[in-house]
Amino acid sequence: MSLDPIAPGTLALAEEFGLSRDEYNLVLEKLGRTPNVTELGIFSVMWSEHCSYKSTRVHLAKFPTKAAHVIYGPGENAGAIDIGEGLAAIFKMESHNHPSFIEPFQGAATGVGGILRDVFTMGARPIALMNALRFGAPEHPKTRKLVDGVVSGISFYGNCVGVPTVGGETNFDARYNGNILVNVFCLGIAPRDKIFTSAAKGANNPVVYVGAKTGRDGIHGATMASAEFVEGDDSQRPTVQVGDPFLEKLLIEACLELMETDAIIGIQDMGAAGLTSSSIEMASKGGAGIELDLDAVPAREEGMTPYEFMLSESQERMLMVLKPGREHEAKRIFDKWGLDAAVIGTTTDSGNLTLRWHGEIVCDLPLGPLADEAPRYERPYVAPLKAIPLTEGEQGRLVSEYPGFAASLTKLMSSPDMASKRWIWEQYDRHVMGDTVADSGSDAAIVRLYPGPRALAMTCDVTPRYVEADAYGGGKQAVAEAWRNLSAVGARPLAVTDNLNFGNPQRPEIMGQIVHAIEGMAEACRALAFPVISGNVSLYNETDGKAILPTPAIGGVGILDTLERRASADALAVGDVLALIGESAGHLGQSLYARELIALGGAAPPVDLAAEKKNGDFVRGLISDGLVRAAHDLSDGGLACAAAEMALASDVGIALGYQGDLADAAFLYGEDQARYLIAVKGAALPELEQRARAAGIDFLIVGEAGGNEISFLGASGKRDGISLKTLRETHEEWLPSYMSKAR
């Protein structure tokens, strides 16, 4: 097969590029002719799952995306919300899953670089990064090196570019053995009236390329991200890009400086599909056409072809459309920062993408079929099976095989999912820029705003085992947990971004997971007034037909009106009384306790969105009024693990107790939703109880802070405990010990 860029594109080549036979025939129908190789490559990346969302667009429309404070919802480089005082928060979450599995260091590093560009492209200075990482089973031979490479790549890029990595989550499961997940989040701040969009409106405006030179790295990366892996196939390794965070820092500063002028009409990051997607998206959104001279594109390598120029995913590049006559101003600024800047084309009124190379037209494609008219599938799906509830006998085992408080808590707090991730987050510069108020040890990270006492809170959440057990309920729970984590620090939840990670959508059972999870997420977002303003879909996350756990990650953002009235898990003080907010039914299905101690699954806990709203509003009210300084949401590991995390973070012991109807194991480790553990001074208890009764809130005193151990007095009448020193050692030891064998 010829890769001559102007040779006719064949069906065989189309299939190699990731297009189906039907899609190739549709290309022929749309064009009325056979495309050449360059044109076929452009169609293949623009019609890839990664760029077109062809399997999910009809379902993503179910998300609530509008609210009074939403400035830009899905469709721009990132979403934007009004946070008052003339400021906007701009944020998005993206995936770099396949590249990170192929080459973990560069895959993760360039994922960070890409999400930074999505944010500063809109005129925002990035102020915070987060990540959500999923790795295979610890015993899998690849897992250690993947963890090491991914964490090193994230820390290298974020630390060098000077943006703090303030939070995230890390899980391990055998279902990610052949396809890890690396989801990255960025938040930036911009003046409310100076947000930039990508639409390139009008004809005869100069198109300017800025940033790094173009090389052959990353070609067909978008297509690779839209295909399954095959174990042992290293043929896709060349599609991974190489990043330069120092150059990205220069690019941020140069772009923000140019944005201080009025020279820019539209600006777009060159991300997936590089120059192809950026030029097509800008022109199509602006209702224009675009003509590019590929000989003018700054090149890093000799003899590059139109196909290579258009499909390269070299990093640290931007495309912008300027007002006529402002090119020299842009070039002066980019020269100052030592970056390439070149006029490579002009906008037109043709409605086409036209490419010139060596004086000849080598591509002339209508924009409609490449953008809004791209295939949009309603793929067949079946309702995903829900996990069967635990049988009476299994419930009995969970109670009868309970090994006692100290033994069970030690087991859970040292398990891969619950063990401290300090080894990871200490590699990240969490406090560069000097505005990080709370980071990885908090329910939600907090970053200070200027001027005044305000701050933004942010969190990443999803429980994949819940989503597999009940896709609809698990989708609701992911949103609800993000809501809880923001509420637990006292922040008012404002909006979410998402990263929907699933397997092959052409399998009806996987498509069913996608549809039901989206519908559950949408219901929760409506009930909690928590709109979706941006996001990413990552499909075909499977190897040899084995799909990952369905993982629709949620990035939630909220606002604190005053930093003086916030709560944290590490603010526990001796003498504090601990109270449980929310109803406890002792639901052990899909709990970490059931999985880690007895190897059982069961049905996921039900999600009551009305209770989530009521309880979250109640807790935020207590924090806002200064009654609560220490709080923690309940999630993995239930009450016992939440209490242990508070005790360890505060270095203050906790004495728990319960004499009710639930078995000790169910009370301690049930993962019922909509619950918080709060700490109050004894003198404040009467007011707290009165407020809870008036609001119809389930409220139970469960312990007191003090001493140097965490203990529990339950049905046996005998107190069982473990010293904080011993628990801390086992909690902190697992990951460093595991990773000590990585190199």
Side-chain angles (χ1 to χ4, degrees):
M1 291 180 292
S2 172
L3 279 182
D4 178 343
I6 57 174
T10 64
L11 171 60
L13 191 59
E15 291 176 336
E16 183 178 317
F17 286 175
L19 293 172
S20 69
R21 179 184 295 266
D22 287 344
E23 287 170 341
Y24 177 72
N25 289 333
L26 184 59
V27 170
L28 300 182
E29 179 185 320
K30 294 280 188 183
L31 291 184
R33 62 178 174 84
T34 300
N36 62 37
V37 168
T38 300
E39 293 171 328
L40 188 62
I42 288 169
F43 266 103
S44 71
V45 292
M46 291 306 295
W47 286 10
S48 70
E49 201 74 62
H50 193 81
C51 291
S52 72
Y53 296 138
K54 58 191 176 187
S55 295
T56 54
R57 287 173 76 183
V58 295
H59 301 289
L60 295 174
K62 299 170 183 176
F63 283 142
T65 60
K66 299 183 184 302
H69 61 285
V70 174
I71 303 169
Y72 290 108
E76 279 300 333
N77 287 292
I81 56 173
D82 190 335
I83 56 173
E85 300 189 13
L87 295 178
I90 295 173
F91 58 94
K92 189 182 182 184
M93 202 169 185
E94 270 274 11
S95 61
H96 232 218
N97 302 335
H98 287 184
S100 299
F101 185 75
I102 294 169
E103 212 304 300
F105 182 92
Q106 291 296 348
T110 53
V112 174
I115 198 65
L116 283 163
R117 290 193 299 279
D118 280 336
V119 168
F120 76 75
T121 295
M122 295 190 69
R125 178 169 292 280
I127 64 168
L129 292 162
M130 294 192 296
N131 54 74
L133 312 177
R134 265 87 194 180
F135 297 104
E139 62 271 17
H140 190 274
K142 290 185 178 180
T143 299
R144 279 190 187 85
K145 288 187 177 180
L146 288 168
V147 173
D148 188 47
V150 165
V151 172
S152 297
I154 289 171
S155 63
F156 165 72
Y157 208 101
N159 294 357
C160 290
V161 84
V163 177
T165 300
V166 297
E169 57 180 350
T170 304
N171 297 129
F172 296 85
D173 193 282
R175 294 282 291 281
Y176 302 110
N177 282 350
N179 198 128
I180 65 173
L181 300 184
V182 175
N183 295 170
V184 287
F185 167 103
C186 181
L187 180 145
I189 300 296
R192 168 69 177 81
D193 59 354
K194 293 204 73 172
I195 299 174
F196 291 81
T197 63
S198 56
K201 297 178 181 178
N204 302 314
N205 297 317
V207 178
V208 179
Y209 170 115
V210 300
K213 289 179 168 62
T214 295
R216 292 186 170 93
D217 47 331
I219 291 175
H220 263 292
T223 306
M224 178 268 291
S226 305
E228 297 180 32
F229 281 144
V230 176
E231 188 67 41
D233 182 3
D234 291 332
S235 64
Q236 293 166 321
R237 188 170 298 276
T239 62
V240 179
Q241 314 95 317
V242 176
D244 182 345
F246 299 104
L247 195 151
E248 179 106 339
K249 174 61 175 173
L250 299 177
L251 189 60
I252 291 173
E253 299 304 330
C255 286
L256 292 178
E257 183 174 338
L258 183 60
M259 287 167 173
E260 289 295 317
T261 73
D262 64 346
I264 298 174
I265 294 173
I267 182 169
Q268 176 81 27
D269 161 42
M270 285 194 225
L275 190 53
T276 290
S277 63
S278 57
S279 59
I280 289 170
E281 288 176 15
M282 292 183 77
S284 61
K285 286 178 183 177
I290 192 164
E291 182 171 319
L292 304 179
D293 179 2
L294 298 181
D295 295 317
V297 175
R300 193 172 70 232
E301 302 181 45
E302 295 290 332
M304 290 189 65
T305 66
Y307 172 88
E308 292 169 329
F309 275 119
M310 294 305 292
L311 272 66
S312 167
E313 293 186 7
S314 295
Q315 296 292 287
E316 292 87 38
R317 302 180 301 157
M318 311 283 279
L319 195 66
M320 55 182 67
V321 173
L322 303 182
K323 294 177 180 177
R326 309 298 290 273
E327 304 93 317
H328 296 298
E329 187 174 357
K331 188 161 191 332
R332 176 184 59 78
I333 290 172
F334 281 91
D335 283 348
K336 167 188 167 183
W337 291 99
L339 298 170
D340 281 293
V343 177
I344 66 168
T346 184
T347 57
T348 69
D349 58 7
S350 69
N352 279 19
L353 169 69
T354 304
L355 305 179
R356 292 184 179 274
W357 183 57
H358 298 347
E360 301 290 332
I361 293 178
V362 293
C363 168
D364 194 16
L365 296 174
L367 291 173
L370 295 168
D372 291 340
E373 299 168 29
R376 188 177 305 199
Y377 297 134
E378 294 193 41
R379 295 198 186 276
Y381 65 90
V382 295
L385 295 175
K386 290 186 178 182
I388 299 171
L390 295 169
T391 66
E392 191 173 319
E394 288 170 333
Q395 292 274 15
R397 282 188 61 199
L398 291 172
V399 172
S400 64
E401 297 182 28
Y402 169 60
F405 178 73
S408 58
L409 185 63
T410 301
K411 173 71 172 176
L412 286 183
M413 293 297 287
S414 62
S415 66
D417 279 356
M418 287 299 296
S420 169
K421 303 306 185 296
R422 182 183 300 275
W423 182 91
I424 293 175
W425 52 257
E426 281 194 340
Q427 297 185 50
Y428 305 149
D429 192 334
R430 308 178 316 279
H431 298 277
V432 65
M433 301 174 75
D435 295 321
T436 305
V437 177
D439 54 42
S440 298
S442 177
D443 283 293
I446 301 174
V447 177
R448 183 181 289 105
L449 286 172
Y450 293 101
R454 302 187 308 147
L456 285 173
M458 60 210 78
T459 182
C460 292
D461 296 290
V462 67
T463 310
R465 65 183 186 277
Y466 289 178
V467 186
E468 182 169 57
D470 177 358
Y472 187 83
K476 289 198 296 183
Q477 191 275 340
V479 173
E481 187 171 348
W483 165 274
R484 281 201 306 277
N485 278 325
L486 295 171
S487 296
V489 300
R492 185 173 73 257
L494 294 176
V496 305
T497 182
D498 61 61
N499 208 141
L500 310 182
N501 307 274
F502 291 89
N504 185 343
Q506 297 180 56
R507 291 203 281 147
E509 65 275 20
I510 298 295
M511 195 65 214
Q513 289 179 339
I514 297 168
V515 173
H516 281 246
I518 286 173
E519 290 175 347
M521 292 165 61
E523 182 187 342
C525 288
R526 284 191 297 270
L528 300 173
F530 208 21
V532 178
I533 66 162
S534 61
N536 170 245
V537 176
S538 176
L539 306 182
Y540 296 93
N541 288 293
E542 50 186 81
T543 298
D544 294 333
K546 297 177 182 177
I548 60 164
L549 286 170
T551 311
I554 298 293
V557 172
I559 192 161
L560 283 150
D561 293 322
T562 172
L563 277 169
E564 293 302 312
R565 296 293 174 91
R566 71 180 189 276
S568 63
D570 64 357
L572 193 65
V574 174
D576 282 352
V577 175
L578 285 101
L580 180 60
I581 301 296
E583 182 179 3
S584 296
H587 188 100
L588 287 172
Q590 289 300 323
S591 66
L592 276 185
Y593 171 83
R595 187 185 77 180
E596 296 292 329
L597 274 79
I598 318 292
L600 292 174
V607 178
D608 182 337
L609 294 171
E612 292 284 1
K613 179 77 166 61
K614 181 172 70 171
N615 295 351
D617 289 347
F618 179 74
V619 169
R620 281 200 316 281
L622 297 177
I623 296 168
S624 178
D625 291 343
L627 288 175
V628 169
R629 291 281 295 175
H632 196 4
D633 92 302
L634 268 63
S635 53
D636 283 349
L639 170 64
C641 289
E645 288 174 334
M646 288 184 76
L648 292 173
S650 306
D651 200 24
V652 175
I654 293 176
L656 296 171
Y658 176 71
Q659 300 294 318
D661 296 332
L662 297 176
D664 289 353
F667 175 72
L668 290 167
Y669 300 112
E671 295 184 8
D672 306 285
Q673 300 295 293
R675 297 190 302 161
Y676 301 79
L677 185 61
I678 63 172
V680 296
K681 303 301 180 188
L685 268 180
E687 181 178 352
L688 183 59
E689 291 175 327
Q690 181 182 4
R691 285 192 180 203
R693 282 196 302 271
I697 299 291
D698 287 284
F699 168 88
L700 180 67
I701 295 173
V702 295
E704 185 175 357
N708 58 8
E709 70 171 15
I710 180 167
S711 64
F712 177 68
L713 175 63
S716 69
K718 181 180 179 182
R719 185 164 289 279
D720 183 15
I722 181 173
S723 72
L724 292 185
K725 180 178 183 294
T726 301
L727 184 62
R728 178 174 281 108
E729 287 172 354
T730 189
H731 179 58
E732 296 279 356
E733 177 187 15
W734 181 81
L735 189 55
S737 175
Y738 174 73
M739 291 308 300
S740 67
K741 304 168 187 174
R743 294 183 175 88

